[in-house]
Amino acid sequence: MKSRLILLLTLLCSVHFSFAAVTVKGRVCDKSTGAPMEYATVRACTLPDSTFVAGCITEPSGAFSLQLEKGRYVLEVQYMGFEPVYKNLTLDGTKSTVDVGKISLSPDHQMLGEVDVVAEQSTYEMTLDKRVFNVGKDVANTAGNAIEVLENIPAVSVDVEGNVSLRGDDGVRILIDGKESGLSGMSTQDALRTLQGDMIERIEVITNPSVRYDAEGSAGIINIILKKDKRQGFNGAVNIRTGYPWMYGASLSANYRLKRWNLFASYGFNSRSNIGGGVNQTKRFDLIDGDTIFTQLTDQTTERRMRRMGHNVRVGADYYITDHDIVSAALVYRYGRLETHPVVKYSDEYPILGVSSYDVRAEDYVEYEPMYEVTLDYDKTFERKGQSLKANVRYFTNAENSSSDITETVYPDQSMEQLLSSLYQKTANDQRMRNLQASIDYVHPFAQKAQWEIGGKYTNRNINSLSSVTEKDSLGVYQPLPNYCYDYEYSEQVAALYTSLGNDWGRWSGQVGVRAEMTDIYTNLKGYAHDGTDSINGGKPYIDFFPSAHLNYSVNENNQFQVSYTRRIRRPGFWMMSPFRSYNDNRNIRMGNPSLKPTYMDSYELGYIHFWDKASFNFTAYYRHGTNMIRHYTYEDDGVFYSIPVNFGKADDFGVELVAQGQMTKWWNLNGNVNFFRSYTNGYIEDKYYETESWMLFGRAVSKFKVKNWFDLQLTAHVMGPHKEPLGMRDGEWWMDLAVSKEILHGNGTVTFNVRDLFNSRSMGGESWGDGFWQYSTSTWNRRSFSLNFNYRINQQNMKRNRPGGDDDDDGGSEEQSDDGY
């Protein structure tokens, strides 16, 4: 494999490379005075799909310059307080430079007055290397959090507990603004729930990333881009929300651009209640005199009430040292508080003994989650087009401090008339993470059409976790339970270097590269009584190489093909290696495994995209081969069931993904996706061989209606099919969401009403089995919910205008590409 990649790299080096073949330049002026306009925004979007590809800001002379590939584009020129201008442009590649001349802007006297709404661009944009979901343009996401936004993205699945997977694989790397962030925290699900949807501009889904990205994430990358505006002057937005089960919150974002300074800030507060629970039935069997005998039946019910509160503050500034040098700094602070009150009830029957018991276990749990993050970026462009240098330093630290009081009472039966015993326990956990990242990326065009990229990154992550469980003895003194008290240290260092070459020759274009990463993970587990843990203490550095290759072919402007290959890794993180996670249910405990090895994934894709004037279709066939796959294994020990991740074996997935979107009529937009794949896994657990073949289907459909000029209506249907695991099976699930949106206050405000899980049908369930037991469980994290959101925009032009070449609308989000975009 490595020799073939080296040969391919050598062949590509012998050809002329380029991604930017034509220079487009012009000058922007004030139509009334003729004066040049500095800091006007110029954007280039492809036709007919209106996908943003490049942008810049005009110089003091009003001049601008962009580099674009051959094709059809619409140039969009904006300046706060002036009417935007749109100019269609066709580049056939016969000229290296195209001058569009002087573009004059006229003052917008109506600003946010009446406009001619023609159509609403779909919230989903497809390119061959990634899929972009424009959050601010979707009716249902304004009042939601990041977890709820991710539920609406093709190929992405989110279960009822908030675990994110991509094409059925939960090895997903979640980035914020192209980098790992403290916002994703030690508990990604909890942090994403505190990140409100109105703070997000767009989400990028990258299933086969290039070598510029970290190799982490066997399934790919989800990149969440936060809002930041670079238009001249002041603009902002205010959001107020409420709902049931009781939730309320507010957020404020502001942006101010003055000459060489761009200042931005946002604040959000959210408080949300959840009501959930589940049932679990367990049958135990014992081997007695050579026969398998049914010895115990346990019916378990769980009721959970949870309240989550969070504050998010983000401030920053961009300073344009020169027209080619930009320094950016940002500070993020988040504070979260979680309260949950689970009540677990066990009803036990022992048919051989003819006795029963009834246990009630109640917990009062509280957790505090402070986090702060500091980032510093430097972007430099050169006189030579396409040449750039980017550097970034980021440091963040966060903590999760939790404690709980647990009371368990035992009765002979459910009448609870006679008390047999009482048990009192306390838990405490103090976790702290420190993370330092530094990266540098350099792009160098050479010869006539060549582009070479090189970069490096260093990450140092350190987590300390001190956890204890104590139990009151007969003297009223709380004594530690040795198997559940530990002092655990996790340290991870990753140093990476990468290089890539790209080429554009006519209808063909391609990129090939390789990334080298040296990893050193150190674990130190102290004070834990479970057997076999001493062997995992210490560290072992290792080096891996991660090649990638992308080849594109454009039949014409409306038909494109791509074939790609990447190699990825999934390193077991802190949560997977930490001894255990929770203790509210002391009969079913989820544990980590400090001995886990990383998973490696080779991913191959063949993609096709077809564009119509108001519709697009994307077909992708993919194959993934994984080794050291991680699966959960459940075993029973002295009446307690432990679920632990283990390295299972190999997996081969064959799948197809269909994504379609279209403006069916002037008032109806329809989009959806279907993902269908076969997964074959085989390997060993506890020296026993397992072989499983499973078929899985999941998808979503979104239908958006514009009811005259009154309101917008959106219906979203989700479905996830059942699938098998080596020692279990998961049930399928389906649910529907409803959203209604109304523009008010002359287009400055929007009121949105959401109903999540319209028919209260969503739950997660399945069965598992092992030596001497069988279990079936169902659970739901949150039942049907209602929310009402009000959004007010300050100095943000309504972009739903009749424009040549497309119906793009802009909610005032960033016009930047991700720093780590391909």
Side-chain angles (χ1 to χ4, degrees):
M1 175 61 71
K2 292 182 180 178
S3 61
R4 295 178 182 176
L5 287 168
I6 293 174
L7 177 61
L8 180 58
L9 185 63
T10 304
L11 291 174
L12 282 176
C13 288
S14 64
V15 200
H16 294 293
F17 299 89
S18 176
F19 285 108
V22 181
T23 299
V24 177
K25 64 180 183 178
R27 191 163 61 94
V28 180
C29 299
D30 186 330
K31 186 174 183 178
S32 60
T33 65
M37 301 183 70
E38 184 183 4
Y39 301 118
T41 301
V42 182
R43 289 168 32 118
C45 299
T46 59
L47 289 175
D49 59 308
S50 297
T51 300
F52 171 77
V53 293
C56 67
I57 296 174
T58 57
E59 300 174 358
S61 62
F64 67 88
S65 178
L66 296 171
Q67 279 201 325
L68 301 172
E69 302 177 48
K70 293 187 297 181
R72 294 173 56 221
Y73 300 90
V74 56
L75 290 183
E76 174 186 351
V77 184
Q78 292 186 28
Y79 194 92
M80 179 59 65
F82 287 75
E83 293 183 352
V85 170
Y86 304 94
K87 187 178 183 66
N88 288 343
L89 185 66
T90 300
L91 305 178
D92 55 13
T94 58
K95 297 181 181 180
S96 60
T97 302
V98 173
D99 190 346
V100 298
K102 183 172 69 172
I103 299 177
S104 300
L105 301 185
S106 301
D108 187 355
H109 300 292
Q110 294 183 337
M111 287 297 292
L112 296 177
E114 294 183 359
V115 294
D116 182 17
V117 179
V118 181
E120 180 180 339
Q121 181 197 7
S122 171
T123 60
Y124 185 60
E125 300 173 7
M126 296 178 295
T127 63
L128 282 170
D129 60 328
K130 62 187 171 186
R131 297 93 186 273
V132 182
F133 184 78
N134 298 299
V135 174
K137 303 171 188 174
D138 194 281
V139 177
N141 289 316
T142 307
N145 57 43
I147 286 287
E148 295 164 351
V149 172
L150 289 173
E151 288 180 345
N152 290 317
I153 299 180
V156 177
S157 301
V158 184
D159 66 22
V160 295
E161 294 184 350
N163 299 303
V164 180
S165 60
L166 188 57
R167 290 178 176 171
D169 186 350
D170 60 357
V172 182
R173 178 76 158 177
I174 296 182
L175 305 177
I176 308 291
D177 287 334
K179 303 173 180 65
E180 183 184 0
S181 169
L183 284 173
S184 58
M186 289 181 288
S187 175
T188 303
Q189 302 97 315
D190 291 344
L192 293 179
R193 287 190 180 97
T194 67
L195 184 62
Q196 286 303 121
D198 53 42
M199 296 175 61
I200 303 171
E201 180 192 347
R202 67 182 185 273
I203 295 180
E204 301 171 345
V205 177
I206 312 168
T207 52
N208 263 11
S210 69
V211 295
R212 177 185 288 188
Y213 292 94
D214 292 342
E216 176 66 38
S218 59
I221 291 172
I222 295 176
N223 187 21
I224 300 175
I225 308 297
L226 302 181
K227 290 181 179 178
K228 184 173 66 171
D229 204 317
K230 289 194 172 182
R231 292 180 297 182
Q232 190 79 359
F234 174 82
N235 62 86
V238 178
N239 272 273
I240 302 174
R241 65 188 71 90
T242 187
Y244 180 83
W246 296 115
M247 61 89 70
Y248 54 92
S251 62
L252 170 67
S253 62
N255 203 100
Y256 183 65
R257 176 68 191 270
L258 178 64
K259 295 184 178 179
R260 295 195 175 276
W261 284 96
N262 181 62
L263 308 177
F264 54 92
S266 63
Y267 167 76
F269 167 77
N270 188 61
S271 178
R272 174 175 296 209
S273 298
N274 293 89
I275 302 173
V279 297
N280 182 298
Q281 186 179 77
T282 302
K283 294 181 179 180
R284 291 183 58 187
F285 304 89
D286 289 331
L287 191 63
I288 302 176
D289 297 331
D291 295 327
T292 301
I293 306 298
F294 171 42
T295 58
Q296 181 181 346
L297 172 65
T298 300
D299 287 318
Q300 174 185 332
T301 62
T302 302
E303 298 175 356
R304 182 187 302 108
R305 292 180 295 109
M306 185 187 71
R307 181 176 179 269
R308 184 183 303 278
M309 179 272 290
H311 299 266
N312 278 291
V313 180
R314 181 170 178 256
V315 295
D318 304 315
Y319 178 65
Y320 293 75
I321 303 173
T322 68
D323 292 340
H324 299 283
D325 297 86
I326 306 173
V327 175
S328 303
L331 172 66
V332 177
Y333 174 75
R334 187 194 74 202
Y335 176 81
R337 187 174 189 271
L338 168 66
E339 295 178 2
T340 182
H341 306 281
V343 178
V344 187
K345 301 176 182 179
Y346 313 93
S347 178
D348 298 303
E349 294 183 8
Y350 303 89
I352 295 179
L353 301 176
V355 298
S356 63
S357 67
Y358 185 69
D359 293 14
V360 179
R361 185 175 176 86
E363 180 182 23
D364 291 321
Y365 177 92
V366 63
E367 179 176 289
Y368 301 92
E369 303 168 345
M371 184 281 297
Y372 70 84
E373 174 181 87
V374 180
T375 62
L376 181 64
D377 292 271
Y378 172 68
D379 289 0
K380 180 177 179 60
T381 56
F382 297 84
E383 293 295 335
R384 185 170 187 173
K385 295 299 181 182
Q387 186 178 6
S388 66
L389 175 68
K390 298 178 182 291
N392 169 269
V393 177
R394 178 174 300 214
Y395 175 80
F396 62 86
T397 179
N398 55 17
E400 292 183 4
N401 304 314
S402 63
S403 62
S404 70
D405 291 289
I406 301 173
T407 302
E408 182 174 357
T409 51
V410 182
Y411 306 90
D413 53 50
Q414 295 190 32
S415 68
M416 301 174 62
E417 294 178 354
Q418 180 183 357
L419 176 63
L420 296 181
S421 63
S422 296
L423 183 68
Y424 301 95
Q425 296 174 328
K426 292 180 179 290
T427 71
N429 185 260
D430 183 5
Q431 293 175 174
R432 299 183 182 276
M433 177 170 71
R434 296 178 298 277
N435 191 305
L436 174 66
Q437 302 174 22
S439 64
I440 186 168
D441 301 276
Y442 175 68
V443 180
H444 182 77
F446 63 96
Q448 291 184 351
K449 300 181 179 181
Q451 180 171 282
W452 170 53
E453 186 171 351
I454 189 171
K457 182 178 179 179
Y458 172 74
T459 301
N460 188 323
R461 179 187 295 108
N462 184 271
I463 303 176
N464 289 97
S465 181
L466 183 63
S467 183
S468 66
V469 177
T470 58
E471 183 176 303
K472 183 188 288 188
D473 62 15
S474 59
L475 299 177
V477 179
Y478 281 90
Q479 301 291 344
L481 299 181
N483 281 350
Y484 303 102
C485 300
Y486 64 88
D487 183 358
Y488 181 60
E489 179 184 1
Y490 174 90
S491 176
E492 177 185 294
Q493 295 186 79
V494 180
L497 291 174
Y498 77 90
T499 185
S500 66
L501 292 171
N503 183 34
D504 181 356
W505 60 101
R507 297 185 183 274
W508 294 87
S509 62
Q511 184 191 60
V512 64
V514 64
R515 185 181 186 95
E517 292 190 352
M518 184 181 74
T519 305
D520 186 7
I521 295 179
Y522 172 83
T523 59
N524 186 18
L525 184 56
K526 299 172 287 185
Y528 186 54
H530 202 280
D531 294 335
T533 57
D534 291 341
S535 62
I536 60 93
N537 288 341
K540 183 180 179 181
Y542 56 93
I543 298 178
D544 287 307
F545 294 91
F546 302 96
S548 74
H550 295 75
L551 183 64
N552 300 344
Y553 175 68
S554 297
V555 180
N556 50 46
E557 294 176 355
N558 297 324
N559 295 274
Q560 302 175 37
F561 290 90
Q562 183 196 54
V563 60
S564 62
Y565 162 77
T566 61
R567 185 171 187 256
R568 309 283 297 168
I569 188 175
R570 182 186 184 182
R571 301 179 182 90
F574 167 77
W575 278 120
M576 279 194 172
M577 301 179 73
S578 181
F580 75 95
R581 298 190 182 183
S582 64
Y583 195 68
N584 68 289
D585 180 358
N586 62 343
R587 298 196 191 184
N588 297 277
I589 295 177
R590 289 193 292 176
M591 302 176 59
N593 182 1
S595 301
L596 281 177
K597 299 177 182 178
T599 295
Y600 294 93
M601 185 71 71
D602 293 277
S603 178
Y604 305 81
E605 287 190 12
L606 173 63
Y608 166 72
I609 294 181
H610 180 81
F611 296 103
W612 292 276
D613 288 340
K614 294 184 178 181
S616 59
F617 171 77
N618 177 215
F619 170 84
T620 304
Y622 58 91
Y623 165 66
R624 300 182 303 202
H625 174 72
T627 58
N628 286 341
M629 299 301 295
I630 297 175
R631 294 291 187 267
H632 278 82
Y633 166 61
T634 301
Y635 65 94
E636 185 264 341
D637 183 11
D638 195 22
V640 179
F641 293 92
Y642 298 93
S643 178
I644 184 172
V646 297
N647 288 114
F648 173 64
K650 299 179 181 179
D652 292 280
D653 296 341
F654 302 85
V656 293
E657 182 180 65
L658 305 176
V659 181
Q661 59 175 342
Q663 192 72 36
M664 312 304 293
T665 67
K666 190 174 182 179
W667 50 269
W668 181 27
N669 181 282
L670 183 65
N671 68 79
N673 72 283
V674 175
N675 203 307
F676 179 69
F677 68 92
R678 166 194 176 270
S679 180
Y680 173 75
T681 59
N682 64 94
Y684 290 87
I685 298 178
E686 295 292 316
D687 297 326
K688 291 185 178 181
Y689 179 76
Y690 297 92
E691 186 178 44
T692 305
E693 182 180 26
S694 178
W695 299 85
M696 186 170 180
L697 171 72
F698 57 89
R700 57 183 281 277
V702 180
S703 189
K704 293 186 289 185
F705 305 91
K706 181 172 291 295
V707 183
K708 295 186 178 180
N709 292 322
W710 300 340
F711 58 86
D712 294 337
L713 174 69
Q714 177 173 307
L715 283 170
T716 305
H718 309 258
V719 62
M720 294 182 64
H723 70 277
K724 296 179 181 178
E725 292 290 345
L727 286 170
M729 176 179 288
R730 177 169 172 173
D731 294 338
E733 56 183 290
W734 67 274
W735 71 99
M736 291 188 67
D737 301 327
L738 168 70
V740 180
S741 177
K742 169 69 175 174
E743 298 286 330
I744 61 174
L745 302 177
H746 305 289
N748 292 329
T750 304
V751 176
T752 305
F753 175 70
N754 276 290
V755 183
R756 288 178 48 79
D757 195 5
L758 182 63
F759 298 104
N760 212 24
S761 60
R762 189 179 188 189
S763 64
M764 181 175 68
E767 56 183 307
S768 60
W769 51 83
D771 292 336
F773 75 91
W774 173 90
Q775 286 186 327
Y776 179 79
S777 62
T778 61
S779 64
T780 178
W781 188 255
N782 194 20
R783 300 189 178 100
R784 179 171 48 211
S785 62
F786 306 86
S787 64
L788 181 66
N789 186 85
F790 170 68
N791 172 263
Y792 183 76
R793 295 173 292 275
I794 306 169
N795 289 340
Q796 293 188 9
Q797 261 186 302
N798 191 336
M799 298 301 297
K800 294 181 181 177
R801 295 180 180 269
N802 189 353
R803 62 182 63 178
D807 298 316
D808 186 22
D809 88 298
D810 188 352
D811 66 344
S814 168
E815 294 171 356
E816 288 187 316
Q817 292 283 24
S818 163
D819 290 342
D820 287 327
Y822 168 49

